[in-house]
């Protein structure tokens, strides 16, 4: 079987492209989770990476779980405890790896993002959609619940009421509806999707890499910390940031009225 992820790089930007259009880039029944986990580990270790773009080949971003693969729960008569472990050691490793990745991640959503495919976009920091994209938290339509963390991810992206509406009905949003509820930050023509994502990634990557990683970590910790705890962490990170050469360069450049030259 061919690799699920096609990984390319432009300078300090890594592009992860899901490359199984024949399965509509389904996330189960293949090596998708293993490849995502490994890619995230590699990116974390490579401190020269400053931004990541996640996109897909074909007309569909991701159909989520492979419904045909679900037939084996019937034919193999798997026990509930076995299925539970499959989820814990399978698809649930994906949000732990991608959502917690230290580097800013932009989802460039080229087409339908369904079920776990929608949740995959919510694991990213910024979402840009083609006007061909649609979004559905459709687990209920096939008689299952969001097993990949969607019940935690989606309310943080669109708010509790909209997330409940999407999860209880399973109905899809258009790209414009996704824009209206804040699920995506912009909608563009299909041919402009990757150029827009790359332009945004370059703006992000123009900033100091270490500070980008600390900023993302603060945003993540802020979702589950008290204000007091976050302030303590912020003070510690700020002490580190003030001693970096990139901060010194930024201050000197500001005073000297010139563009800063940050370290590679």
């Amino acid at each position: 079987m061919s690799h699920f992820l096609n990984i390319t790089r432009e300078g300090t930007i890594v592009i992860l492209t899901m490359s199984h259009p024949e399965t509509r880039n389904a996330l189960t029944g293949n090596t998708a989770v293993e490849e995502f986990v490994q890619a995230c580990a590699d990116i974390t270790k490579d401190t020269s990476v400053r931004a990541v773009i996640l996109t897909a080949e074909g007309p569909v971003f991701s159909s989520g779980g492979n419904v045909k693969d679900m037939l084996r729960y019937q034919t193999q008569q798997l026990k509930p405890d076995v299925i539970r472990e499959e989820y814990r050691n399978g698809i649930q490793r994906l949000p732990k790896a991608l959502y917690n990745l230290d580097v800013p991640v932009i989802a460039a959503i080229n087409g339908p993002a369904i079920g776990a495919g929608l949740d995959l976009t919510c694991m990213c920091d910024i979402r840009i959609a083609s006007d061909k994209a649609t979004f559905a938290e459709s687990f209920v339509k096939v008689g299952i619940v969001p097993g990949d963390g969607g019940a935690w991810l989606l309310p943080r992206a669109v708010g509790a009421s909209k997330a409940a509406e999407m999860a209880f009905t399973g109905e899809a949003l258009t790209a414009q509806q996704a824009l209206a509820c804040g699920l995506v930050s912009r909608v563009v023509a299909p041919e402009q999707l990757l150029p827009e994502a790359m332009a945004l990634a370059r703006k992000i990557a123009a900033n100091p890499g270490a500070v980008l990683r600390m900023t993302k970590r603060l945003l993540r910790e802020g979702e589950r910390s008290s204000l007091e705890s976050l302030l303590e962490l912020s003070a510690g990170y700020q002490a580190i940031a003030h001693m970096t050469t990139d901060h010194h360069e930024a201050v000197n450049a500001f005073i000297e009225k010139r563009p800063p030259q940050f370290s590679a």
Side-chain angles (χ1 to χ4, degrees):
M1 183 180 291
S2 61
H3 286 299
F4 182 81
L5 286 178
N6 179 25
I7 303 174
T8 56
R9 182 161 178 166
E10 181 180 305
T12 59
I13 301 166
V14 170
I15 302 99
L16 304 177
T17 304
M18 295 182 285
S19 57
H20 277 194
E22 66 278 8
T23 66
R24 303 194 304 163
N25 296 311
L27 298 170
T28 60
N30 54 24
T31 60
V33 171
E34 292 293 336
E35 292 186 41
F36 267 113
V37 169
Q38 186 61 56
C40 289
D42 292 342
I43 290 167
T44 295
K45 284 187 270 187
D46 186 349
T47 56
S48 69
V49 179
R50 296 186 181 177
V52 174
I53 295 173
L54 172 59
T55 191
E57 290 181 13
V60 176
F61 179 77
S62 176
S63 60
N66 189 327
V67 176
K68 292 180 180 178
D69 186 56
M70 295 178 192
L71 283 172
R72 64 191 181 84
Y73 295 129
Q74 302 174 46
T75 58
Q76 297 178 19
Q77 297 182 331
L78 297 178
K79 294 180 179 180
D81 62 318
V82 173
I83 298 173
R84 175 174 177 262
E85 290 305 312
E86 280 194 4
Y87 272 85
R88 295 177 71 194
N89 297 311
I91 190 70
Q92 290 186 351
R93 296 172 63 206
L94 179 51
K96 291 178 182 178
L98 186 57
Y99 187 79
N100 290 315
L101 183 61
D102 285 345
V103 179
V105 183
I106 301 166
I109 307 152
N110 53 298
I114 309 301
L118 166 58
D119 296 340
L120 180 66
T121 72
C122 294
M123 298 170 203
C124 302
D125 302 292
I126 301 168
R127 290 167 289 279
I128 299 174
S130 156
D131 59 21
K132 302 291 186 184
T134 57
F135 303 84
E137 188 77 343
S138 55
F139 298 92
V140 69
K141 293 287 191 181
V142 289
I144 57 175
V145 300
D148 61 340
W152 190 91
L153 293 158
L154 188 59
R156 283 164 169 75
V158 300
S161 179
K162 192 64 178 179
E165 179 183 335
M166 294 175 69
F168 295 157
T169 67
E171 293 180 352
L173 302 181
T174 65
Q176 289 297 332
Q177 288 171 325
L179 180 64
C181 71
L183 180 57
V184 302
S185 57
R186 64 183 83 173
V187 175
V188 299
E191 64 274 14
Q192 289 301 312
L193 181 62
L194 279 181
E196 285 273 344
M198 284 300 304
L200 180 56
R202 290 188 190 104
K203 289 180 181 179
I204 293 170
N207 295 305
V211 173
L212 283 172
R213 291 183 181 225
M214 288 191 288
T215 300
K216 176 162 179 179
R217 182 51 48 199
L218 286 175
L219 289 171
R220 287 288 182 263
E221 291 299 325
E223 295 172 346
R224 48 186 174 260
S225 300
S226 66
L227 175 58
E228 290 76 13
S229 295
L230 190 71
L231 287 172
E232 285 296 323
L233 183 60
S234 301
Y237 279 3
Q238 198 73 303
I240 296 170
H242 274 298
M243 297 307 296
T244 62
T245 56
D246 281 334
H247 170 64
H248 300 163
E249 166 63 11
V251 171
N252 292 334
F254 179 83
I255 293 171
E256 296 166 9
K257 296 183 173 57
R258 60 175 175 80
Q261 298 293 320
F262 295 129
S263 58

